[in-house]
Amino acid sequence: MSTTTASLYTSELISSLEESATLAISKKVRELKAEGRDVIGLTLGEPDFDTPSHIREAAKQALDDGYTHYPPVAGLNELREAIAAKLQRDNGLSYTAANVMVSTGAKQSLYNVVQCLVNPGDEVIIPAPFWVSYSAMVHIARAKLVQIDTGIDSAYKMSAGQLEAAITPNTRLLMMSTPSNPTGSMYSRADLAALVEVLERHPQVYVICDEIYELLTYGQEHVSLASFASIKDRVITVNGFSKGFAMTGWRLGYIAAAEPIIDVCEKLQGQITSGANAFAMKGAISALTGDMQPSEDMRLAFLERRNLLYDQLRAIDGVEVIMPDGAFYFYPDMKAFLGKKAPDGTVINTTDALCLYLIDEVGLALVPGEAFGTKSHVRISYAYAPAVLSDAVQRLATGLGRLTD
Ligand code: PMP
Ligand code: GLU
C-alpha cells in the first residue's frame, strides 16, 4: 500500500524514512545564515580543508585526457589496483583489484552491501551510538535493526559478550565503524580479537567494518577487522576519500571484500549509477599514490582542535565527555541538562529540544543524539577553525548556563 502526502502520492518506504539528521541540520544552518542570523553550526562531518592540489591537478588532467565517458561499473581498474595496493601497504590485507569496488561515496558503498546481503526481516546488529545512515539503510532494506547499547564506561564500544547475546539464527549482518562516527572511539586489536572469537562461532554473520576515518587517528593504532584471517571472507571493509583527503564533494568511496560480494554489488550498482565519476577516480589514484603530507597536516590540525575542545568542554559543569581517539567528533552526554527549564519556561526533555533551544538562544547548532540511537547526547564536529570552535563552546556554556531546575 502507498500513502499520499499533500498532493503527492508516495511510497510507504519514503514516507516512513527519516531525513538524514546530519544533513538536515546542516541545511537549516545554511538557511538561517542566509537569513542573516548569527549562527554557528558544528554539525557537519566534513573537513574544512580544500582537496590537496596534486589530487585536483590529476582530475583536471583526466578531463583533458578523455576520462569523460562511462567508466567500468566497479571502477577504473587502475584505481581498483591502487586501492588493493593501499590495503596491503597500510592494512596488511591481501586483495586484488577484483576484490575492490568503487562507488559514489562510502555512503553508496554501504548501501550496496546492505541491499545485496540482507532480506526483509533479517536481523542487522548495530552498536549504538551509530552513524545516522546505518539505521536508515537497514530500514530501506526492510530488515530488523538490533541495537546494542553502549555507554561511556566502555568508551562506547560493544563488548564480545554483548555481541554474543545479540546474535540469533536470523542475524545476517553486523555494521560497525572504527574510528567511530559519532564517538571517535576506536576498537583496539584486543577488542577486535574478542569480537572475532564470537563471530567465528556464527558463520552466517557478515560484517561491515567502516574505516572511513582511518587516516584521522591521534595515537591509537588503526586495525582493520579483515586482518583477522578466520573471518576475512565475511568482512566487507568500507573506506573512502571524503575524510582523510578532504574530498567530500568528489563522492568516491569503496569496498574491499570476497569476490562473490563484489560481483553482486557490481550488479546492483550497474542498475543504479553505472559507477562512479571517471575523472574523479583519476584524482583518487593520485590521492593513494601521491604525497601524504597534506593529509598528515590535516590530521595534526584536527589533533590540536580536539585537545583544545576537550579542555573547554570539560570545563562546562554537567557536560560528560571522553577524549576521542579518532575522527573529528565529540559526543558528550548532556543528561544533566535534560528536564531543566529554558528562560521562557519550556522544559527541555530531549536532545532534539536542547539543540533547538541552543539555536534559538545562543545561535549554536549541534546534532541531537536521537538520530545516532542514543537519548541524552549531542554530536559536536570539530572540523572547523579553532576560532569558530572557541566561539561555539562559549555559546554552549552560555546557553546551558541559562537553564534552570
Ligand atoms: N561512514 C561514516 C562513518 C561517515 O561518517 C560517512 C560520512 N559521510 C560516510 C560513511 C560516508 O562518506 P562518503 O559518502 O562521503 O564517502
Ligand atoms: N558523514 C558526515 C556526517 O556525519 C557527513 C554528512 C552525512 O553524510 O551524514 O556529518
Side-chain angles (χ1 to χ4, degrees), residues 90-372:
D90 300 345
N91 311 92
L93 303 177
S94 285
Y95 284 121
T96 68
N99 298 111
V100 173
M101 184 171 112
V102 183
S103 299
T104 307
K107 198 179 248 181
Q108 196 210 348
S109 300
L110 288 159
Y111 177 83
N112 285 341
V113 177
V114 175
Q115 280 297 328
C116 288
L117 294 189
V118 164
N119 268 317
D122 285 348
E123 291 174 10
V124 179
I125 296 174
I126 312 185
F130 47 72
W131 180 44
V132 295
S133 293
Y134 290 180
S135 50
M137 288 178 198
V138 172
H139 180 79
I140 292 170
R142 286 145 159 106
K144 184 175 165 214
L145 167 65
V146 176
Q147 179 169 328
I148 294 179
D149 291 319
T150 69
I152 200 163
D153 295 342
S154 65
Y156 300 104
K157 291 187 279 189
M158 75 178 143
S159 67
Q162 284 181 304
L163 177 61
E164 181 75 67
I167 295 176
T168 76
N170 299 325
T171 307
R172 188 73 182 131
L173 188 64
L174 164 68
M175 294 178 80
M176 57 185 288
S177 61
T178 180
S180 151
N181 177 3
T183 64
S185 295
M186 293 174 69
Y187 285 85
S188 68
R189 193 176 293 280
D191 293 335
L192 293 177
L195 299 177
V196 168
E197 234 183 77
V198 174
L199 291 164
E200 282 170 354
R201 286 196 287 277
H202 301 280
Q204 87 281 14
V205 181
Y206 284 73
V207 189
I208 290 179
C209 192
D210 182 344
E211 304 184 3
I212 195 163
Y213 294 97
E214 173 191 17
L215 292 181
L216 300 175
T217 66
Y218 311 112
Q220 272 251 29
E221 175 199 20
H222 169 79
V223 183
S224 289
L225 184 65
S227 63
F228 290 83
S230 62
I231 60 160
K232 184 182 174 202
D233 275 0
R234 292 188 276 137
V235 177
I236 299 97
T237 303
V238 172
N239 207 326
F241 299 88
S242 287
K243 316 294 174 174
F245 298 98
M247 291 171 67
T248 46
W250 295 58
R251 311 305 308 122
L252 286 178
Y254 59 87
I255 57 169
E259 268 188 66
I261 298 176
I262 300 296
D263 292 346
V264 288
C265 288
E266 182 176 353
K267 183 160 110 181
L268 178 63
Q269 182 154 297
Q271 294 286 24
I272 306 290
T273 63
S274 307
N277 175 305
F279 55 86
M281 283 194 273
K282 287 294 277 184
I285 293 167
S286 155
L288 293 179
T289 57
D291 184 8
M292 291 298 289
Q293 194 56 45
S295 292
E296 177 59 6
D297 291 345
M298 276 191 275
R299 187 187 74 82
L300 293 172
F302 288 132
L303 169 62
E304 209 171 290
R305 296 171 191 188
R306 178 196 70 152
N307 295 347
L308 178 88
L309 210 54
Y310 179 68
D311 290 337
Q312 294 181 347
L313 286 172
R314 273 169 52 103
I316 305 175
D317 242 8
V319 174
E320 270 187 77
V321 72
I322 54 165
M323 182 67 117
D325 293 320
F328 36 53
Y329 308 106
F330 281 93
Y331 198 62
D333 193 336
M334 309 297 268
K335 64 175 180 290
F337 303 98
L338 299 183
K340 293 205 171 202
K341 274 201 204 94
D344 69 358
T346 315
V347 181
I348 307 288
N349 279 324
T350 62
T351 59
D352 271 337
L354 181 64
C355 288
L356 282 176
Y357 160 74
L358 290 170
I359 292 180
D360 282 344
E361 186 72 17
V362 289
L364 173 65
L366 306 175
V367 191
E370 271 90 355
F372 299 89

Side-chain angles (χ1 to χ4, degrees), residues 73-95:
V73 170
L76 296 178
N77 209 49
E78 200 187 341
L79 176 56
R80 295 170 78 193
E81 277 169 3
I83 291 168
K86 171 256 179 280
L87 291 167
Q88 183 74 64
R89 181 190 71 204
D90 300 345
N91 311 92
L93 303 177
S94 285
Y95 284 121

Side-chain angles (χ1 to χ4, degrees), residues 59 61-69 76 78 277-280 282:
Q61 185 62 46
L63 276 171
D64 289 340
D65 290 345
Y67 283 85
T68 52
H69 300 272
L76 296 178
E78 200 187 341
N277 175 305
F279 55 86
K282 287 294 277 184

